[in-house]
Amino acid sequence: MEEEMQIHLNEYQRAAVLDESPACVVNANVGSGKTTVLIEKILYLHLERQVPLEQMVVLTFTNKAADEITERLLQRVPCLATEQVQGFGTFHSVALRLLKNRLPVEGAGWTKAFTVMDPDEETDLALDIITENGLKVKYRNRLKKRLEQERQAYLSGNTESRYKDDLFRLYPLLEGEKRRQNKMSFADLLEVCTELLRTEKKAETEAWRPAWIIVDEVQDSNLLQLDLLEALRDYGDAKLFAVGDPNQVIYSWRGTGENMFFLLKHRFGAKELSLPVNYRSSASILEAANRFLQFGSGIQGSRTDVSRITVKNHYDPFQEAEYLAERIRVRHEEGKPYSEIAVFYRLQRQSETLMKVFDRQGIPYELSVKKTIKEIPVLNWIVKVLRFSVNSSDYQTAVQVLTDKQYGEKCTKKKAEHIIMEDTVPRDTGGAGRASVLYSRMKRFAEDFRGASAAELFEYFGLREALHPTSAGYAEDERLVLEFLEKMCVSCSRGDAGEIREAGQKGVSETGAAKIPEISWEDGGKVCFADAVRKFINSSALYGMQADAGEKTADEEPRKRGEAQDRVRLMTLHASKGLEFDTVFIIGVNQGLIPLQCRSFEQEEEERRLFFVGITRAKNSLELSWYTNPGEPGVLGEPGRYLRMIPEQVLERGDRKSPEERRSDLQRMGRQVREQIRKKEESVREVLRVRHRKYGEGVLVAEDEMTVTAEFEGYGRKQFLKALNEVEILRHRESASPVQKDIRP
């Protein structure tokens, strides 16, 4: 294997792979092949040093990165078994597996059947506790952030919160309630795992001990994750190998900091190596990137091509979108796949104009923002049904299922609490009985359910009645639920949520390869369907469940045939990290947008690192643009200062205009403004009006299921209950009047 490394690894990469120091951190420049180094490190330890994969803990910060490592290992080790890579994953997923399979979580106040709650669910539980106990907690609208930010001060023994309220009284109540309901937050997974690793007394015969801990993107870690690394290292006297780039710290809002790379280095007394050579980008892009480096002496390039970086000036985002559509079409016609082209922006709302123009121009695209299951009401509800079904202690979720306003019984909170406390079918008829039946089915799911198909689950929970077959949206809700349940069942049966093995299959992997039971992470024996669903739900809480959204193609038929993978990628600069494209367009490089207006030196430095990340995603072609008329509050119609930091010799300017061109732009802007004013003054629009016996006729402002809000001349804005039939809604056409211009329906 060492001979193979000599061929395709440079001297810096080889030094990192062969190093066996007790602790080593690798400062890997962008595009320097850090993933290749990680893979080769794992293979070297496994094949040359005979370290079992089961005794390696490989930690990443995204599920995608963990999957990529596993897939690339499979290419080199085809007989790789699922059990061998149980220690491969994100910090949270590995902590979850340890708590489920290796550590005595019962000693910390939970059972092995615990479920994982996301930050929003934890915040909702905290708000319920505040209400029930009459606590006075300030700034409840940002309670989630406060719980995270002030937790360390609470754990350190401080007796008073930052704002001198009852937040520190809330923490022990919240911790107690999570134990009672057998749920863990993301932070709990790390903290409890760390504590148990530190306190657990291993038997002399204990087989599993981590021999190596390998960490990807270590610069993105926070203090909780560093504590877990330390506990893992001490638990097995393991060696630590970490790779990262301190110039790519862009997630301070997640709790990481620009010094995490160096903090880990000093905390573990680690040896530092470097990967200075970039294999991705052209020489001109690297020359520009070196101007934005915060740490290190510079990036060495492996390429000599000198294609220049284009700088363009557009009048406004719409004109730019039209230009991009044409430019992308030309690049595609020249043979460049759409999937090798990306457009980056600072704010998500900048994508709206791009999508409208690309739709009209027939440019296929994919938006990086995916619609989650939580955004689809019926699926959000069915997930809660499943969550309580696999954790009958989850009182919070049971109440949410029973009190949902669209599905199930739709009962009051008081009635829901009565059903839960009594666990009986009320004597009254109607919906209450159905709600109690649903509750009983959920409560006894693990014991009673014997099927494993979507149709059986649908029937077991009585979902036809729960989704209300007389409602207008029933057909679509039924389709969405059945599709979701089918995907879940397939995932559970094939082991995506955790391997389902029959008792007689212990000791054999899915591929038929023999495993090593004495150091396996998983317990043997039969795993019931409810356990598989629990694993699926927990995994979904960690990574989120996404629905199909954000994809557009020029022709919908290719997408149906599975042939629509060739799409332009639209994403924020934050979302671009870890990706690479042949051609990159970064739009809106205006002062006040890129960079954003910053309140501190730390924010300014992070903005600079973010721009660095963006430009280094490009392999061959990079184009930067700014607007004369940005249309964003606080954004100046001038190029951002980052454009002035790039050496002129690597730029191809398309944004320098003659006085005649500038006058032409101003004239065009004047014409557009006058046209907008004309259209506004001459527009005839349909308005909804109402009639009231006292106030006369007025303009409808807002309407919901219960109320009508209207504006009456001389009386102002009034609100009425629909049930009282106080107003009559009229529909007719009329020209906009001065009175109506101030009304915003």
Side-chain angles (χ1 to χ4, degrees), residues 272-507:
E272 183 177 350
L273 299 176
S274 65
L275 301 180
V277 183
N278 177 287
Y279 292 94
R280 176 189 301 159
S281 303
S282 67
S284 58
I285 294 173
L286 292 185
E287 188 169 352
N290 276 315
R291 297 299 179 98
F292 298 92
L293 279 180
Q294 186 176 1
F295 305 103
S297 57
I299 306 172
Q300 300 176 22
S302 62
R303 298 167 53 182
T304 58
D305 50 320
V306 289
S307 57
R308 295 191 173 189
I309 300 169
T310 301
V311 180
K312 297 284 291 185
N313 172 225
H314 301 285
Y315 174 68
D316 58 16
F318 178 78
Q319 184 199 53
E320 177 185 60
E322 293 280 357
Y323 163 81
L324 285 175
E326 182 59 30
R327 184 81 175 91
I328 289 170
R329 182 180 289 107
V330 170
R331 292 287 289 168
H332 185 64
E333 290 172 353
E334 292 173 349
K336 194 62 63 183
Y338 284 123
S339 58
E340 282 292 320
I341 303 172
V343 183
F344 301 160
Y345 34 80
R346 185 63 181 86
L347 304 175
Q348 189 62 55
R349 60 176 177 265
Q350 292 176 262
S351 64
E352 296 173 2
T353 302
L354 292 172
M355 290 191 292
K356 291 177 181 177
V357 173
F358 284 14
D359 281 337
R360 181 165 51 82
Q361 297 285 356
I363 302 295
Y365 67 86
E366 177 181 342
L367 193 65
S368 64
V369 175
K370 298 293 186 180
K371 192 175 186 180
T372 65
I373 295 296
K374 294 181 70 173
E375 297 175 86
I376 303 174
V378 69
L379 297 186
N380 186 38
W381 182 78
I382 197 66
V383 168
K384 291 177 180 178
V385 170
L386 294 168
R387 285 181 62 83
F388 180 68
S389 298
V390 297
N391 180 10
S392 59
S393 300
D394 191 352
Y395 171 86
Q396 176 192 12
T397 299
V399 170
Q400 291 174 347
V401 168
L402 296 175
T403 59
D404 190 276
K405 295 182 179 179
Q406 288 184 260
Y407 307 106
E409 175 53 25
K410 303 188 286 187
C411 60
T412 64
K413 185 176 181 181
K414 184 177 180 180
K415 192 172 187 178
E417 290 172 343
H418 174 74
I419 292 171
I420 294 169
M421 293 298 295
E422 298 295 326
D423 193 15
T424 58
V425 180
R427 295 181 180 180
D428 58 276
T429 59
R434 291 194 301 273
S436 295
V437 169
L438 174 61
Y439 177 77
S440 297
R441 293 287 174 86
M442 292 190 296
K443 189 75 178 289
R444 295 162 180 81
F445 175 74
E447 301 166 3
D448 296 346
F449 186 70
R450 292 293 179 264
S453 72
E456 290 170 321
L457 282 168
F458 197 88
E459 182 179 354
Y460 175 82
F461 288 119
L463 294 182
R464 176 173 174 79
E465 291 298 319
L467 299 182
H468 304 294
T470 59
S471 65
Y474 174 79
E476 178 65 8
D477 286 342
E478 181 186 41
R479 182 188 67 81
L480 289 170
V481 169
L482 285 172
E483 286 182 358
F484 170 77
L485 292 177
E486 182 64 30
K487 290 178 181 177
M488 184 192 75
C489 291
V490 170
S491 177
C492 291
S493 64
R494 71 186 182 194
D496 288 0
E499 186 187 12
I500 301 176
R501 302 186 300 274
E502 297 299 326
Q505 293 180 308
K506 183 181 178 181

